[in-house]
């Protein structure tokens, strides 16, 4: 019995130990497995996500932190600042702004309107490419404008710019409606009334090829635009959709668009290689990341900016936003007709609204709740555009400034003298039926009729106010208003809710009042339109509809004289101010902080507000002026170009000569531009060509006058000074009265033409190159010649005794064969098979002499030509272990495929330094040692116990 | 059965929640007061089957659920993603975080609890209890921020946010795992600081209950060393309440993760719950609830099994 008990005891004890270590082991194992799964899953967590070219490890990166996530990649859906900044980087607009808010040509080179500015004609920039490499044409502009303007009911995203454009009946584009083009680079937009701000059509220009299959309704509601294609200065990463979905764990990544056209005063391409848009959910984390240098620029709040101001290497700015941003108390005016509504009818009474405005101490709100980080609000246009800003304090006619006594007197006079009370206090009610005549918005028309509304006797002055959950200052303002308005007998029930929910309530007519915001471009059209009767079917959120205001809105659009326009705009603002349907109370400041050690040239964002990072109207000067102050490994220059054919040549005046030059670039992501200098002051510039493998430029030229010309070609990759070829010399002589011709083809024995082969006739070195069909033509004086043809990668061939007679053509055909072949292949990551870009490929002979070099493109592919022979191919990269493959035979005209699978250099990963890995290693070793020690001690103990056990003598 | 009840409850909770899911889909500018929007709303109601009787929807819900179909999101990231696909990567992130955190918290909690339980009333017990309680009463967002400030900024040893380095996809597998563990360090430490009292106090209290028992006196009388008394007699009994507590703890930890995930920018389930609530994405919310409650049920089931293993009485019963 005793034995059995002790056995059980020992077992239970042992079981306890083993169970615990088992659980620990199980948990550890589980965790390791999950972390591993997590790390591999992370590459494509949603199963999508194309392979991405990795950013250059040595690039100039600008990392921007936001407190909101980009809410959509689709420019018709996104609403918040980060989204608009993203659109402004990827897309272009017809016009953009310089740093002071002057229009600069972007996709439109110029714009002109007829006498009353009803029809605008835009001259479109040529030579612009979409990010997918296709040509941007006038058709894309026509498409964009018609896409927006002809489906305004479904796609109202850019309504204030688009709803005055003439609707087409039947098929379009056609003359007289929408946008129409009748010449290669001009487009005309037809408005239904004069529309002066024709340069302020801030719709992102979208690619017809991409969007023609997306219905406007899909664009507004469901299309995610996973692969945004624009013409803007930055190109979306191929995996941007995955990055978007994985916010905030991943940042949205944009690459520099190396082909971007100059805009405004921009003198050089941007120095920013990559932009990352990183969301933070917590401002403190963002502030620390900025201080650490994990991000370079942060859009902060007035509450958080103080934590970084004055820290080393940190610059900060605050000031009125170029986006005009203001906060208002909106008072819902929607007229549901006979339908029931939970809203208080007293909201239609202008006296009640004015009393509310007069009981709102804006200066107190700005100085206390916004801690002075803002300007007192008043009108629809911000003081950032003094030309349009209406300042009621300078206007004796308008006075809704803070005055509780006057507000009370106004309500008394309006008939709200009855009272009611609840546990919170005593408030006003209508003492008898109050009859109101309001202009209805139910018609959705700009010329509303008056309807009668009654505030019934006994109606409490109690209103619901929605405020945004995400903005503490707006909630504090709501709480302040509830206290302040109680002093004039108005009860306010403040409800905090998420912005999406607030949006639904406001546009659904479910709340009496709300605190929200607007922002817009510096032209008054946008911000005036959202209170007009023309946007009742879209952006107008308080449904105010006023005939006089609507007429002023139309008039200001027709005012070509700026002074006249200014007075109309201010009259409209005044009318809106006095109606008190919007009580605009603050123009809050933007707050930004950035690092000054890596990037310089931030500028003064108050003196030049349109270089604020928020200025999203395309081609923001900030992104072109920023100078990278860090050190980066420079981009490799292109390989010196080679002009095929002989060095000394002869020809006659006005005889067309063909030339071919080749080059390549170690960075296959670069684009090469060839510039031919013909030695007579004329140049020819090729379009930029991607440096994938060998890049060839073929040009023709003829000299009008005799001379000895030096011909050179230079190649530029956009990062380095151009690299020039060796010169060739063309001796151009006056053509004799009679010339003969040698003509023919240079082909392979298979019959394929060889373009760019060089054909030379001597004596005299009369030379020319073949064109695409392999044909050539030499013009030369009659005589007997030896004609030789040669081409890169091919053998040479010559024919002697060719007789040329005057005014006759002698045919000489050549058949060449390849003497060189290609080595090509794909380089992938051995772990997950992703293609690796910018891996250096070197071709060596058996003796180790390098004969050719190149690098992989973004798909991880390379292709290098070498003469016949046997080679060693080596793949090198700082981030991967170098690999060589030997005994690679190359046969003329044939491709030999050599693929590499590279493994990352173990310690060169980047995220963890060698020190940190060593640290982790030490910790792991220590833990292992501790476990072993513990086990040893335990074993010793149990041994001791065993020895110490008293064996009871058997009974 | 439990799972069925949870799923049913989950279905009905969403039915009784205030707010109309179709409203949230009609965003700024869609003007559903008078026209336009209402057509679209009717269309959405038809499309989602909201015009069907509740019994039909209930049956459909289970039919879909059994096929792993949790529906599609409606507002989260503008909607249209399968809920299961949105939850899966978030779930694995949270499981890693919570798994690591729970393991570390439990281990430390048991060690500290044993010490303070055995030496109850002594200075070491007082200091352990006080320290863990101070940690327990500190808000986790504050602890996170202090850790970020001290260990990521003043001494820049650890990364302040995220779950992996930006160029993590170029790492080899081992580095990638280490890189993730490196990123999870501060969040896990936050968990440990704020939650270790849960385990240490439970164990201390149950040890306190165990130690006056007769069999402990017997053990002492047998001449066993202190260590043996604690190990073989006190701990096996005191461990059982801790196990129960840890199963319950699992339910807490997922909600507790919300704050920590927010501060450390970790895209986990907690953060998804917050986002889904904020934008009123009911299908997503219901999916997250389902997964979270299932997690607690599974944790309790595991605890029951372990109980059986650890407690012979339960095994025999």
């Amino acid at each position: 019995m005793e034995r059995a008990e002790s056995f059980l005891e020992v077992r239970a004890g042992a079981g306890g130990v083993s169970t615990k270590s088992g659980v620990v082991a199980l948990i550890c194992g589980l965790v390791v497995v999950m972390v591993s799964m997590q790390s591999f899953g992370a590459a494509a967590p949603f199963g999508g996500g194309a392979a991405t070219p990795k950013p250059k490890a040595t690039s100039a990166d600008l990392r921007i932190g936001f407190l909101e996530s980009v809410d959509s990649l689709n420019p018709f859906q996104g609403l918040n600042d980060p989204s608009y900044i993203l659109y402004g980087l990827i897309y272009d607009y017809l016009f953009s702004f310089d740093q002071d808010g002057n229009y600069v040509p972007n996709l439109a080179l110029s714009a002109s309107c007829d006498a009353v500015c009803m029809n605008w004609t835009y001259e479109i920039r040529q030579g612009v490419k979409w990010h997918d490499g296709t040509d941007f044409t006038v058709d894309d502009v026509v498409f964009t404008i018609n896409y927006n303007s002809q489906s305004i009911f479904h796609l109202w995203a850019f309504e204030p710019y688009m709803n005055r454009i003439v609707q087409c009946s039947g098929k379009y584009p056609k003359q007289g409606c929408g946008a129409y083009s009748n010449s290669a680079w001009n487009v005309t937009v037809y408005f239904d009334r004069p529309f002066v701000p024709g340069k302020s059509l801030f719709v992102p220009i979208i690619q017809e090829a991409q969007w023609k299959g997306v219905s406007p309704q899909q664009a507004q509601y469901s299309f995610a635009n996973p692969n945004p294609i624009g013409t803007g200065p930055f190109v979306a990463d191929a995996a941007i959709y995955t990055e978007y979905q994985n916010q905030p764990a991943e940042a949205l990544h944009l690459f520099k668009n190396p082909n971007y056209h100059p805009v405004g005063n921009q003198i050089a391409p941007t120095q920013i290689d990559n932009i990352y848009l990183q969301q933070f959910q917590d401002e403190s984390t963002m502030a620390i990341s900025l201080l650490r240098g994990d991000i370079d620029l942060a859009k902060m709040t007035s509450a958080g900016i103080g934590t970084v101001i004055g820290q080393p290497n940190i610059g900060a700015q605050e000031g009125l936003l170029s986006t005009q941003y203001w906060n208002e108390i909106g008072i819902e005016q929607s007229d549901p007709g006979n339908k029931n509504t939970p809203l208080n009818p007293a909201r239609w009474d202008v006296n009640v609204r004015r009393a509310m405005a007069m009981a709102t101490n804006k200066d107190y709100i700005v100085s206390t709740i916004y801690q002075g980080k803002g300007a007192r609000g008043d009108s629809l246009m911000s003081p950032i555009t003094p030309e349009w800003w209406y300042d009621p304090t300078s206007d004796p006619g308008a006075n809704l400034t803070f005055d509780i006594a006057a507000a009370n007197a106004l309500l008394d006079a309006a008939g709200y003298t009855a009272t009611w009370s609840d546990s919170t206090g005593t408030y006003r009610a209508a003492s008898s039926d109050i009859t109101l005549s309001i202009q209805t918005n139910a018609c959705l028309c700009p010329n509303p009729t008056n309807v009668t509304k009654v505030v019934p006797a006994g109606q409490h002055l109690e209103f619901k106010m929605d405020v945004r959950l995400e903005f503490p200052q707006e909630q504090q303002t709501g709480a302040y208003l509830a206290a302040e308005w109680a002093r004039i007998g108005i009860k306010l029930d403040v409800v905090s809710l998420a912005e999406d929910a607030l949006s639904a309530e406001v546009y659904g007519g479910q709340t009496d009042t709300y605190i929200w915001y607007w922002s817009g471009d510096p032209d008054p059209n946008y911000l005036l339109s959202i209170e007009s009767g023309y946007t009742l079917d879209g952006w107008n959120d308080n449904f105010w509809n006023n005939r006089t205001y609507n007429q002023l809105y139309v008039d200001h659009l027709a005012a070509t004289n700026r002074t006249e326009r200014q007075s109309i705009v201010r009259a409209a603002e005044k009318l809106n101010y006095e109606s008190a349907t919007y009580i605009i109370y603050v123009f809050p400041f933007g707050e930004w902080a950035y690092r000054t050690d890596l990037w310089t040239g931030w500028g003064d964002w108050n003196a030049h507000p349109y270089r604020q990072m928020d200025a999203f109207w395309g081609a923001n000067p900030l992104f072109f002026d920023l100078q990278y102050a860090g050190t980066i490994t420079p981009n490799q220059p292109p390989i010196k170009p080679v002009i095929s054919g002989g060095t000394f040549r002869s020809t006659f005046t006005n005889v067309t000569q063909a030339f071919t030059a080749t080059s390549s670039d170690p960075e296959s992501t670069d684009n090469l531009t060839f510039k031919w200098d013909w030695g007579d002051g004329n140049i020819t510039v090729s379009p930029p060509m991607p440096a994938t493998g060998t890049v060839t430029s073929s040009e023709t030229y003829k000299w009008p006058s005799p001379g000895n010309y030096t011909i050179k070609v230079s190649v530029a990759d956009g990062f380095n000074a151009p690299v020039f070829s060796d010169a060739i010399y063309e001796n151009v002589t006056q053509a004799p009265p009679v010339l003969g011709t040698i003509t023919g083809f240079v082909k392979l024995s298979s019959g394929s033409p060889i373009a760019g082969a060089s054909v030379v006739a001597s004596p005299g070195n009369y030379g020319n190159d073949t064109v695409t069909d392999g044909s050539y033509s030499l013009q030369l004086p009659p005589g007997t010649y030896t004609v030789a043809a040669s081409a890169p990668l091919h053998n040479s061939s010559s024919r002697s005794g060719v007789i040329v007679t005057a005014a006759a053509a002698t045919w000489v055909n050549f058949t060449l064969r390849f003497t060189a072949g290609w080595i090509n292949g794909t380089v992938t990551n051995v772990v997950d098979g992703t293609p690796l870009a910018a891996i250096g490929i070197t071709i060596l002979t058996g003796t180790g002499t390098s004969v050719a070099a190149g690098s992989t493109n973004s798909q991880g592919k390379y292709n290098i030509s070498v003469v016949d022979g046997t080679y060693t191919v080596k793949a090198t990269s700082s981030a991967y272990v170098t690999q060589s493959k030997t005994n690679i035979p190359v046969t003329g005209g044939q491709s030999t495929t050599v693929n590499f699978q590279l493994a990352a250099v173990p310690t060169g990963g980047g995220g963890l330094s060698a020190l940190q890995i060593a640290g982790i290693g030490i910790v792991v070793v220590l833990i292992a040692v501790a476990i072993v020690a513990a086990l040893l001690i335990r074993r010793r103990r149990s041994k001791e116990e065993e020895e110490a056990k008293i064996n009871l003598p058997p009974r | 059965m439990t799972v069925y009840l949870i799923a049913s409850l989950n279905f009905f909770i969403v039915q009784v929640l205030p707010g109309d899911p179709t409203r949230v889909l009609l965003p700024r500018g869609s003007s559903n007061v008078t026209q336009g929007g209402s057509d679209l709303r009717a269309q959405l109601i038809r499309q989602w089957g909201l015009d069907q009787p509740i019994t039909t929807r209930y049956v459909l819900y289970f039919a879909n659920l059994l096929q792993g179909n949790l529906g599609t999101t409606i507002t989260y990231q503008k909607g249209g993603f399968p809920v299961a696909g949105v939850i899966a990567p978030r779930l694995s992130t949270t499981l890693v975080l919570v798994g690591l955190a729970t393991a570390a918290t439990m281990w430390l909690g048991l060690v500290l609890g044993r010490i303070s339980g055995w030496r109850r009333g002594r200075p070491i017990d007082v200091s352990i209890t006080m320290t863990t309680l101070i940690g327990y009463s500190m808000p986790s967002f504050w602890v996170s921020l202090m850790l970020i400030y001290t260990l990521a900024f003043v001494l820049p040893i650890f990364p302040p946010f995220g779950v992996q380095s930006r160029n993590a996809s170029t790492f080899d597998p081992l580095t990638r795992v280490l890189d993730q563990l490196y990123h999870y360090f501060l969040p896990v430490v936050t968990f440990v600081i704020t939650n270790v009292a849960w385990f240490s106090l439970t164990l201390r209290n149950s040890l306190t209950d165990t130690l006056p028992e007769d069999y402990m006196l017997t053990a002492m009388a047998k001449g066993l060393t202190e260590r043996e008394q604690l190990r073989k007699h006190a701990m096996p009994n005191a461990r059982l309440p801790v196990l129960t507590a840890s199963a319950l703890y699992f339910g807490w930890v997922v909600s507790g993760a919300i704050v920590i995930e927010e501060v450390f920018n970790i895209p986990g389930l907690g953060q998804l719950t917050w986002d889904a609530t904020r934008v009123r994405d009911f299908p997503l919310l219901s999916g997250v609830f389902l997964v979270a409650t299932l997690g607690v049920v599974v944790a309790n089931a595991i605890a029951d099994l372990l109980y059986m293993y650890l407690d012979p009485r339960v095994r025999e019963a």
Side-chain angles (χ1 to χ4, degrees), chain A residues 231 260 269 298 310 340 351 364 447 451 464 576 590 608 648 751 766 792 797:
Chain A
T231 55
Y260 194 62
N340 283 332
N351 292 316
Y364 170 82
N447 198 13
V451 294
K464 177 168 171 272
N576 181 257
H608 308 290
F648 297 95
Y766 298 101
S797 172

Side-chain angles (χ1 to χ4, degrees), chain A residues 75 86-96 104-108 125 128-131 136 141 144 201-207 229-234 257 259-263 266 616-620 624:
Chain A
L86 176 78
Y87 309 147
L89 295 170
I90 294 178
Y91 292 99
D92 271 327
Y93 301 80
L94 291 175
F95 284 82
S96 293
V104 292
N106 192 335
L107 286 180
R125 187 184 292 272
V128 174
K129 295 231 183 251
W130 291 102
H131 293 162
F136 160 78
V141 178
T144 300
L201 293 187
F202 289 105
V203 280
I205 303 299
I206 52 174
Q207 189 190 31
I229 297 168
T231 55
F234 292 90
N257 175 359
N259 303 319
Y260 194 62
H261 51 273
V263 172
Q266 180 201 337
F616 54 74
W617 301 283
N620 182 336
F624 298 97

Side-chain angles (χ1 to χ4, degrees), chain A residues 703-721:
Chain A
W703 285 264
S705 44
N708 217 330
Y709 297 102
T710 305
I711 302 153
K712 270 187 174 179
V713 66
S714 67
V715 60
D717 64 358
F719 298 98
N720 295 282

Side-chain angles (χ1 to χ4, degrees), chain A residues 9 11 13 15-20 23-24 27 31-32 34-36 38-40 42-43 45-46 54 63 71-72 77-79 153 156 217 221 241 244-251 276 278-282 284-285 288-289 291-292 294 311 334-336 339 442 444 469-470 497-501 503-505 507-510 516-518 536-539 541 543 829 831-832 880 904-906 909-912 916-917 920 938 941 945, chain B residues 23-37 40 43 76-79 81 85-87 89-90 92-93 95-96 99-100 102-103 106-107 110 114 141 145 148-149 151-153 155-167 169-182 184 222 224-225 227-228 231-233 235-236 239 261-267 271 274-275 277-280 306 309-310 312 315:
Chain A
E9 188 177 277
R11 195 180 169 278
V17 170
S18 76
T19 305
K20 199 178 81 186
V23 170
V24 172
I27 292 173
V31 162
V32 168
M34 284 190 299
V35 172
S36 321
Q38 178 75 6
S39 21
F40 300 118
F46 289 84
K54 302 293 177 293
R63 298 150 300 176
D71 58 359
S72 175
Q77 290 179 0
L79 290 175
F153 181 74
W156 61 82
Q217 202 161 356
Y221 282 108
Y241 192 46
Y244 157 75
Q245 290 175 313
N246 286 347
Q247 295 178 95
E250 286 188 50
Y276 294 92
Q278 170 74 54
Q279 185 211 348
F280 288 87
Q281 292 167 315
D282 184 275
S284 312
T285 315
I288 286 176
S289 301
L291 295 176
R292 279 168 50 97
D294 294 329
Q311 301 287 338
S334 58
D335 176 8
K339 279 182 243 162
L444 297 180
L469 189 64
E470 296 90 340
L497 66 180
E499 179 154 5
D500 299 289
S503 175
E505 292 225 350
Y507 281 104
Q510 301 291 308
W516 213 358
Y517 82 101
W518 274 106
L536 284 168
D537 55 355
W539 288 113
D541 57 355
F543 300 96
N829 189 323
V831 178
D832 53 7
Y880 294 89
V905 175
L912 291 170
Q916 286 155 345
I917 292 200
I920 292 170
R938 179 170 293 156
R941 285 253 161 78
E945 274 167 25
Chain B
R23 295 203 72 85
V24 295
L25 251 206
L26 303 168
R28 181 155 208 175
S30 65
S31 176
N32 52 352
V33 185
T34 41
Q35 45 81 50
L40 198 64
Q43 188 188 324
Y76 176 73
Q77 289 184 338
K78 306 293 175 196
F81 300 107
V86 173
I87 292 179
R90 304 292 189 130
S92 71
T93 307
L95 278 182
V96 172
L100 283 169
T102 311
M106 269 179 85
W107 177 76
L110 290 176
R114 197 167 64 188
F141 76 88
L145 287 176
I148 292 178
Y149 182 72
L151 292 179
F153 177 59
L155 292 170
I157 306 171
F158 292 99
F161 68 92
V163 293
Q164 56 179 30
S165 298
R166 185 172 289 152
N167 50 347
S169 51
T170 61
F171 295 174
D172 63 278
L174 179 67
T175 320
R176 224 190 267 188
V177 171
L178 285 178
D179 180 57
Q180 290 221 338
L181 289 175
Y182 177 56
Y184 278 120
K222 278 200 292 190
L224 297 182
T225 62
R227 175 176 291 274
E228 284 163 346
R231 217 167 252 183
K232 299 193 174 166
H233 296 266
M235 280 304 281
R239 207 154 35 214
E261 284 173 4
E262 289 276 320
V263 176
F264 287 100
N265 256 21
I266 294 173
Q271 192 229 324
W274 167 239
D275 281 350
T277 317
R278 218 170 47 75
V279 300
R280 296 189 184 173
L306 282 177
Y309 196 71
L310 290 182
R315 204 175 346 168

Side-chain angles (χ1 to χ4, degrees), chain A residues 99-342:
Chain A
Q99 62 174 5
D100 298 316
N102 304 307
Y103 292 109
V104 292
N106 192 335
L107 286 180
L109 290 173
S110 67
S112 57
C113 61
D114 57 17
V116 294
C117 279
M118 267 181 68
N119 303 329
W120 278 84
T121 299
Y122 302 90
E123 186 197 344
I124 302 303
R125 187 184 292 272
Q126 303 186 24
V128 174
K129 295 231 183 251
W130 291 102
H131 293 162
D132 63 1
T134 58
D135 288 326
F136 160 78
T137 70
V138 73
D139 292 338
D140 293 309
V141 178
V142 170
F143 173 81
T144 300
I145 291 174
N146 286 333
Y147 192 72
N148 280 279
S149 66
Q150 301 303 311
S151 310
I152 205 85
F153 181 74
H154 294 303
L155 187 59
W156 61 82
F158 295 94
E159 181 182 40
Y161 302 127
M162 290 287 137
N163 66 354
R164 301 273 48 88
I165 294 173
V166 177
Q167 295 291 311
C168 296
S169 55
K171 289 186 100 170
Y172 59 88
K174 64 181 171 191
Q175 197 149 13
C177 70
Y180 174 74
S181 170
N182 56 5
S183 72
W185 295 104
N186 283 316
V187 55
T188 303
V189 179
Y190 301 94
F191 292 87
D192 66 359
R193 62 192 68 230
F195 190 87
V196 169
K199 290 184 177 178
S200 270
L201 293 187
F202 289 105
V203 280
I205 303 299
I206 52 174
Q207 189 190 31
E208 180 174 12
Q210 188 195 7
W211 288 83
K212 68 183 172 194
V214 181
S215 76
Q217 202 161 356
Q218 287 170 324
Q220 183 78 57
Y221 282 108
S222 57
F223 180 58
N225 196 21
N227 178 29
I229 297 168
T231 55
F234 292 90
V235 182
D237 182 20
I240 196 160
Y241 192 46
T242 311
E243 292 158 5
Y244 157 75
Q245 290 175 313
N246 286 347
Q247 295 178 95
E250 286 188 50
L252 268 60
H253 179 194
L254 304 176
F255 292 97
K256 166 158 75 179
N257 175 359
N259 303 319
Y260 194 62
H261 51 273
V263 172
N265 298 323
Q266 180 201 337
I267 49 167
T270 174
Q271 294 196 6
I272 305 169
D273 291 325
N274 299 287
I275 289 186
Y276 294 92
L277 305 179
Q278 170 74 54
Q279 185 211 348
F280 288 87
Q281 292 167 315
D282 184 275
E283 189 168 14
S284 312
T285 315
M286 181 164 84
I288 286 176
S289 301
L290 179 73
L291 295 176
R292 279 168 50 97
D294 294 329
I295 54 173
D296 305 295
L297 170 60
K299 175 85 191 278
M300 304 196 69
T301 69
S302 54
I305 190 89
T307 56
V308 294
I309 286 180
Q311 301 287 338
N313 296 323
I314 300 292
Q317 308 219 19
E318 73 176 19
L320 284 171
L321 283 150
S322 58
T323 57
Q324 307 261 334
Y325 193 106
W326 39 257
N327 284 110
E328 87 279 5
I329 302 159
I331 300 168
E332 188 87 34
Q333 298 299 300
S334 58
D335 176 8
N338 298 324
K339 279 182 243 162
N340 283 332
T341 161

Side-chain angles (χ1 to χ4, degrees), chain A residues 928-947:
Chain A
V929 168
I931 290 171
V932 170
L935 288 175
L936 285 175
I937 290 170
R938 179 170 293 156
R939 183 182 290 178
R940 208 185 65 207
R941 285 253 161 78
S942 61
K943 209 168 159 191
E944 282 169 3
E945 274 167 25
E946 206 59 43
E947 286 162 0

Side-chain angles (χ1 to χ4, degrees), chain A residues 631-647:
Chain A
T631 42
I632 51 173
T633 311
N635 181 288
Q636 299 294 309
I639 305 302
K640 179 178 172 178
V642 175
I643 303 175
S644 60
T647 305

